[in-house]
Amino acid sequence: MGFPATRMRRLRRSPGLREMVKETRLSPSQFIYPVFVTHGHKIKEEIPSMPGISRFSTDMLPEELTRVKEAGVPAVMLFGIPEKKDAAASVAYSPAGPVQRALKLMKKDFPEIIAVTDVCLCQYTDHGHCGLLEGGRILNDETLDLLAKTALSHAECGADIVAPSDMMDGRIGFIRKKLDENGFQDISILAYSAKYASAFYGPFRDAAGSTPSFGDRRSHQMDPANRREALREVLLDIEEGADIVMVKPALSYLDVIKEVRDAVCVPVAAYNVSGEYSMVKAAAAKGWLDERLVVMEILTSIARAGADIILTYHALEAAAWLKEKN
Ligand code: PBG
């Protein structure tokens, strides 16, 4: 027998062989593309810290949704940026809010795109916190009412999936009940279950103007040091009725994605967040990284860790690259 008997390089000899033994295949069908919608007219403002990503007024959305459709990306996650913010986050559940208006447009002109909506109050409160405040603390149970109202209003306007990202306790069960009581038992819930208190959300908060005016989100979002706790969050959300669970951010939490994938039977999503996107864009703009190769490697690693669904600002570019074949 020749030495060595096992030669790992045999199956790496040609592109065809490598393709045949590939363990993880990416497809645009697993992407969700985040879209920022705002009030006003004729608005398409690029977010300085997120090159290639803009805020759109509803009238400018068709252009962007057409790009989504043409890329073969099946779903968008809508984030609303309201004109007026107040202590009760009233635009979050107003039928005239940016997300509600975008949903109505989607149902009419882009019914084939899956409409997922972020459900949280932080973009809508004047203090930038994810719930109602009392003496500087976020009230949990009182906030649930407003979250459920927001989710219901999204469902009424045509959302296919609502995605609570607030990290209040009990919100999934509370929202599920509210949706069911109002005849929306077929609307799914994608729970931001293991959402960490992460510095990687910085560019998103620029985009949404949702940086808290004081303090931080560590009283409700998870400590980056914890992994077992993520399983508790995920299992609780499934018990309360989540159809899909999510880990967020993705890159620094691949171990958590893997752990969750091994522990549950529901689809697992991962959010490749704004800061992860901006780091790649900034380095690529300087010519320090090959953007296409790096993005593919990042998305592949998130899928390999166990994510069935990937939320990513790279979705449209990555879908185009996948069509061309690497
Ligand atoms: C809350 C929300 C945030 C993100 C998604 N939903 C911000 C936060 O928790 O502060 C972050 C997404 C990203 O960074 O890309 N509405």
Side-chain angles (χ1 to χ4, degrees):
M1 203 169 37
F3 169 85
T6 301
R7 289 183 185 270
M8 298 306 290
R9 294 182 57 195
R10 279 182 204 127
L11 293 177
R12 297 177 193 147
R13 271 173 53 228
S14 69
L17 281 168
R18 290 195 292 269
E19 190 59 30
M20 195 170 71
V21 299
K22 196 183 279 302
E23 296 179 34
T24 306
R25 290 174 211 279
L26 280 179
S27 153
S29 62
Q30 67 200 119
F31 296 155
I32 299 180
Y33 183 58
V35 174
F36 295 99
V37 291
T38 188
H39 52 85
H41 294 282
K42 297 266 164 288
I43 294 172
K44 180 184 173 181
E45 286 169 339
E46 196 177 54
I47 296 150
S49 53
M50 301 179 72
I53 302 296
S54 302
R55 303 184 189 102
F56 297 91
S57 53
T58 327
D59 55 331
M60 299 293 277
L61 263 187
E63 189 188 310
E64 187 73 348
L65 294 172
T66 303
R67 287 178 66 213
V68 171
K69 213 163 98 174
E70 282 169 0
V73 170
V76 295
M77 168 81 93
L78 297 174
F79 292 97
I81 303 154
E83 187 167 21
K84 290 197 199 78
K85 304 183 186 230
D86 57 30
S90 35
V91 181
Y93 39 89
S94 155
V99 168
Q100 286 81 354
R101 295 178 49 183
L103 285 167
K104 287 179 206 157
L105 171 110
M106 284 187 70
K107 281 306 107 175
K108 190 160 70 64
D109 298 334
F110 297 88
E112 65 282 57
I113 301 181
I114 300 166
V116 190
T117 59
D118 181 83
V119 175
C120 190
L121 305 183
C122 63
Q123 289 112 272
Y124 301 92
T125 51
D126 47 14
H127 44 67
H129 280 289
C130 305
L132 292 170
L133 288 185
E134 192 179 82
R137 289 188 64 240
I138 302 175
L139 297 172
N140 193 87
D141 299 9
E142 291 76 357
T143 296
L144 296 184
D145 269 323
L146 299 187
L147 290 168
K149 252 169 105 165
T150 303
L152 177 60
S153 118
H154 291 173
E156 284 168 346
C157 293
D160 298 293
I161 302 178
V162 293
S165 66
D166 53 284
M167 291 298 278
M168 294 299 113
D169 285 322
R171 84 255 210 239
I172 301 303
F174 204 90
I175 289 172
R176 182 71 270 162
K177 186 160 169 281
K178 181 85 160 184
L179 291 175
D180 289 356
E181 282 168 359
N182 286 277
F184 292 106
Q185 45 276 77
D186 290 337
I187 300 305
S188 310
I189 299 179
L190 186 171
Y192 284 73
S193 300
K195 178 174 179 178
Y196 286 88
S198 169
F200 285 102
Y201 308 150
F204 173 97
R205 292 181 190 167
D206 288 347
S210 62
T211 307
S213 56
F214 65 90
D216 52 44
R217 306 218 197 287
R218 285 184 289 182
S219 81
H220 51 295
Q221 298 181 350
M222 284 183 56
D223 183 338
N226 296 356
R227 190 179 61 211
R228 293 188 300 264
E229 190 187 346
L231 292 182
R232 294 189 72 200
E233 286 282 7
V234 159
L235 295 174
L236 259 176
D237 283 356
I238 294 173
E239 223 175 272
E240 291 180 30
D243 300 284
I244 303 171
V245 293
M246 181 148 75
V247 175
K248 173 189 176 192
L251 267 192
S252 292
Y253 301 87
L254 294 176
D255 57 328
V256 179
I257 297 173
K258 161 86 168 86
E259 196 94 28
V260 168
R261 171 68 294 161
D262 289 346
V264 305
C265 297
V266 299
V268 175
Y271 200 144
N272 176 216
V273 299
S274 56
E276 298 174 328
Y277 173 84
S278 300
M279 289 195 301
V280 172
K281 285 286 174 184
K286 287 192 175 276
W288 292 349
L289 285 177
D290 180 321
E291 181 176 353
R292 175 173 174 164
L293 291 178
V294 164
V295 168
M296 284 306 165
E297 189 171 332
I298 286 174
L299 297 178
T300 300
S301 73
I302 297 169
R304 190 194 62 228
D308 305 293
I309 300 165
I310 304 174
L311 284 94
T312 179
Y313 302 94
H314 298 292
L316 303 191
E317 286 173 314
W321 294 328
L322 285 168
K323 263 188 219 162
E324 282 173 29
K325 209 70 201 154
N326 306 297

